[in-house]
């Protein structure tokens, strides 16, 4: 078990050092990382090594791309479903016509922002 410290660099370095340089320690699967920003590059690396990766908390819709992240899975839904529910709540329960979104400019925040925009446009049509 290794701590990524929520860092892409540490996750990739640890995976490379521990797994790739020690072929006798090749895991059957990787459980983690929690942050989408860490899972995204790690999923590319684990996929190229034919090692499935499971994340308990990475929800970025970017990870829905099954061609790019062919062996990535998660145990919770992506942000697309959350975004649709949020837009429906603001529109139908709060009668909001406009919605401002504050987000962190990383893979999670940007993807969630995009999902909110798409859900809002889908609901207008």
């Amino acid at each position: 078990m290794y701590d990524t410290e929520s860092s892409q660099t540490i996750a990739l370095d640890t995976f490379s050092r521990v797994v790739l340089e020690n072929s006798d320690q090749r895991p059957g699967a990787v459980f983690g990382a929690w942050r989408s920003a860490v899972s995204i590059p790690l999923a590319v690396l684990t996929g190229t090594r034919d090692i499935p990766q499971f994340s308990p908390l990475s929800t970025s819709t970017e990870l829905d791309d099954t061609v790019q992240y062919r062996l990535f899975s998660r145990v919770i839904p992506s942000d697309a479903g959350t975004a649709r529910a949020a837009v429906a709540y603001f529109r139908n329960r709060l009668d909001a016509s406009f919605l401002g979104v504050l987000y962190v400019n990383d893979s999670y925040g940007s993807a969630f922002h995009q999902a909110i925009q798409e859900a809002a446009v889908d609901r207008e049509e």
Side-chain angles (χ1 to χ4, degrees), residues 8 35-37 40 60 62 103-112:
Q8 297 171 348
R35 290 189 65 230
S36 296
I40 288 168
S60 174
E62 184 175 342
Y103 64 97
V104 176
N105 190 18
D106 66 6
S107 59
Y108 166 76
S110 297
F112 189 65

Side-chain angles (χ1 to χ4, degrees), residues 4 30-36 39 42 53-60 63 72-78:
T4 67
V30 170
F31 188 75
W34 288 30
R35 290 189 65 230
S36 296
S39 288
L42 187 58
Q53 178 182 341
F54 302 90
S55 175
L57 294 174
S58 294
T59 57
S60 174
L63 289 161
F72 177 82
S73 298
R74 60 179 127 229
V75 296
I76 58 173
S78 76

Side-chain angles (χ1 to χ4, degrees), residues 81-96:
T82 304
R84 285 190 299 274
V87 167
Y89 177 79
F90 286 120
R91 184 170 283 140
N92 301 331
R93 301 290 253 159
L94 301 179
D95 200 29

Side-chain angles (χ1 to χ4, degrees), residues 22-38:
N22 298 304
S23 59
D24 59 321
Q25 294 181 357
R26 179 184 161 89
V30 170
F31 188 75
W34 288 30
R35 290 189 65 230
S36 296
V38 178

